[in-house]
Amino acid sequence: MIDETTGALPVEGVPAARVLDEIRGLRAADRPTHGGRLFAYVYDPGVAGLDELAQAAHAGSAHVNGLDPTAFPSLLAMENALVGAAARLLGGGPGTSAPDVVGSVTSGGTESLILAVKAARDARPDLAEPRIVVPVSGHAAFAKAAHYLRVALDPVPVDPVTLRPAVADVAAALRPETVLVVASAPSYAHGVIDPVAEIAAVAAAAGVRCHVDACFGGWTLPWLRRLGAPVPPFDFAVPGVTSISVDLHKYAYAPKGVSVLLHRDAGLRAPQFFAYADWPGYTMVNPVIASTRSGGPIAAAYATLRHLGEDGYLRLAAVTRDAVAGLADAVRAVDGLRLLAEPESTVVCFTADDPELDLFVLVDELTARGWHTQPQLAYGGLPASVHLTVTAAVAPRVAEFGPALAEAAAAARTAGPVVLPPELLALAGSLTPEALTPDLIAGLAAGLGLGAGPAPDRMAAVNTLLQAAPVRLRERLLVEFVGLLQRPTW
Ligand SMILES: Cc1ncc(COP(=O)(O)O)c(C=O)c1O
């Protein structure tokens, strides 16, 4: 039976104003995308009028199809302009040591990374079992790329203090089948910049491509450097860097659905493309994974870049840098909390040294006070941590964050660490993914308050359970829990 009040396909259409009202009602349950209190998922510059501009540009091109650039030259023009801007910002273009940089606009960081791996893989059709070398701090999208493309992943550990891979370990991980070496600028989890120049040199010496994942930092590090920050070389100025990804829907502050993948030259990009003429339909050539693509995100990104301009981004970077410093000070001021890394980009990441101060409880206490931070589970010798992605809109909130953090920490101490039943912890530590039965999953989910509907307000117990589980079991539990959420409504 279709629910006539909420179903997506009612028998009789609903007036436009009411539909929009209904969506606004649904949106009320979401975390706040604007206002500087959400430290993940969203990138808010806090610039008046920018949303309206991006929305208008998006709407004007939403029905344009990127499938065929000859049919919609507007889209091609805007894509080429975005690629040119990204290349110029990242050490490429006329007058640089990388004058022949080319690129493509993709739907996001993950697609850019998958395509970087595909290009590297398909450049070596002679290899039956291609491999990529990725520091464990590299984004999970590389593992996804490896999985989708059947490329083996050779992870390189990171130093528990610097949170960077040792160049010698990267070199040692190279094999004759390696098609790509990865460096992050910076890593998402901790916001630290890998030794790109050294890693690229090792890759070049072996004749292997080197991708710099600047999805997160590619649109901040260049401005921070211009403002005087000691940003090490990470872009096309570094010999041996063959491709770079930068997400415009992150720090270029464009609405979601747009990233740029750059290659040092067209020859390196060529194996990224897919063309097919062996069917009776239209001849198909796709530079990226999607075939039909909306022009909306591309037009919105173009409008955003043109409106903000270099001076706008520089101003926003200065504001963000100061916000990062203020948040880091707030962390330093709380007994028992410790910055996991000194901020060198736009991430603040901290851990707790005091067993009485449970980070996952702290995250819940912050949520209860309207501050949304991102917990990160302990992994491979690294402690659990809290991640803050800092954007310009956070700046006016910094002064409030310090007292809120202190108060949340005090409340977390009072509440004490999460204590799960010992038998549950033992189970989490010993279960294999294969041993999970539907009944067991349903029981676990019910016990943790997970199931249909929004996640519970307090996630500390869920995070504690996940943390107690080995990595493969964590993955399986996440799949099962999200599978419970993704159920059709009738
Ligand atoms: C360094 C880095 N690479 C890749 C990605 C993946 O980007 P997306 O979520 O747009 O697919 C992210 C996302 O946070 C990131 O920080």
Side-chain angles (χ1 to χ4, degrees):
M1 192 64 181
I2 301 275
D3 182 338
E4 282 299 315
T5 60
T6 60
L9 187 60
V11 173
E12 279 181 32
V14 174
R18 204 176 109 200
V19 174
L20 289 177
D21 246 15
E22 290 166 357
I23 294 175
R24 270 191 289 275
L26 289 170
R27 289 272 293 102
D30 292 348
R31 297 203 166 183
T33 55
H34 292 67
R37 284 171 160 266
L38 173 53
F39 294 95
Y41 313 116
V42 298
Y43 298 79
D44 179 12
V47 172
L50 190 63
D51 272 355
E52 290 74 10
L53 168 68
Q55 281 160 18
H58 196 293
S61 292
H63 292 286
V64 170
N65 194 342
L67 174 65
D68 182 348
T70 63
F72 301 103
S74 69
L75 208 53
L76 184 63
M78 288 188 277
E79 282 194 83
N80 285 341
L82 291 176
V83 169
R88 208 155 51 88
L89 191 60
L90 294 168
T96 70
S97 58
D100 301 321
V101 168
V102 292
S104 301
V105 176
T106 73
S107 65
T110 299
E111 186 178 357
S112 289
L113 300 185
I114 291 173
L115 287 171
V117 174
K118 172 185 153 33
R121 183 197 69 173
D122 289 355
R124 292 295 308 274
D126 55 307
L127 294 175
E129 294 180 351
R131 318 182 69 89
I132 59 174
V133 170
V134 185
V136 294
S137 54
H139 196 274
F142 288 108
K144 182 171 176 178
H147 178 72
Y148 278 19
L149 297 167
R150 289 189 190 273
V151 168
L153 185 66
D154 288 318
V156 178
V158 294
D159 180 284
V161 175
T162 66
L163 305 167
R164 286 177 245 272
V167 178
D169 289 344
V170 173
L174 285 170
R175 302 206 205 167
E177 301 82 19
T178 304
V179 296
L180 186 70
V181 177
V182 166
S184 301
S187 62
Y188 176 79
H190 310 120
V192 303
I193 304 166
D194 285 344
V196 172
E198 292 82 352
I199 290 175
V202 161
V208 173
R209 292 178 182 224
C210 174
H211 180 81
V212 175
D213 179 5
C215 284
F216 188 85
W219 216 270
T220 52
L221 294 178
W223 313 117
L224 292 174
R225 180 188 282 146
R226 282 190 211 180
L227 291 165
V231 174
F234 71 95
D235 60 16
F236 284 117
V238 176
V241 169
T242 52
S243 55
I244 305 180
S245 49
V246 55
D247 291 357
L248 303 185
H249 64 199
K250 293 192 168 74
Y251 282 98
Y253 294 119
K256 305 260 179 277
V258 59
S259 165
V260 174
L261 172 59
L262 301 167
H263 295 273
R264 190 177 280 274
D265 61 48
L268 289 162
R269 182 180 62 174
Q272 173 194 312
F273 287 18
F274 177 78
Y276 199 70
D278 200 1
W279 74 309
Y282 57 87
T283 47
M284 193 172 82
V285 51
N286 293 153
V288 297
I289 295 177
S291 200
T292 283
R293 288 188 294 150
S294 169
I298 292 164
Y302 178 76
T304 304
L305 263 64
R306 276 197 66 74
H307 185 59
L308 289 175
E310 294 202 10
D311 62 340
Y313 285 114
L314 206 54
R315 214 169 42 243
L316 291 168
V319 166
T320 309
R321 173 201 59 190
D322 295 347
V324 166
L327 295 174
D329 282 345
V331 171
R332 287 189 197 98
V334 176
D335 268 354
L337 295 183
R338 173 172 62 85
L339 290 169
L340 205 52
E342 278 304 312
E344 49 189 82
S345 58
T346 53
V347 171
V348 173
C349 180
F350 61 89
T351 188
D353 281 335
D354 177 351
E356 292 310 305
L357 181 50
D358 184 322
L359 273 188
F360 300 144
V361 177
L362 172 65
V363 165
D364 285 348
E365 292 295 339
L366 281 168
T367 306
R369 288 164 177 76
W371 299 92
H372 306 279
T373 59
Q374 196 167 49
Q376 300 183 137
L377 306 184
Y379 169 81
L382 302 177
S385 58
V386 177
H387 167 108
L388 309 182
T389 287
V390 185
T391 59
V394 171
R397 299 283 182 193
V398 171
E400 299 162 52
F401 182 76
L405 182 65
E407 210 183 287
R413 277 182 204 282
T414 306
V418 169
V419 183
L420 289 180
E423 57 283 4
L424 188 59
L425 277 178
L427 192 67
S430 61
L431 257 186
T432 60
E434 299 71 39
L436 275 180
T437 61
D439 280 353
L440 201 51
I441 291 156
L444 269 177
L448 293 165
L450 301 169
D457 290 340
R458 299 205 163 247
M459 291 292 284
V462 177
N463 287 320
T464 306
L465 180 78
L466 287 172
Q467 184 163 265
V471 166
R472 294 284 95 84
L473 183 61
R474 286 181 189 179
E475 293 164 354
R476 177 71 195 285
L477 287 169
L478 289 170
V479 167
E480 296 295 343
F481 291 160
V482 171
L484 292 174
L485 296 177
Q486 293 216 319
R487 294 290 156 99
T489 50
W490 307 109

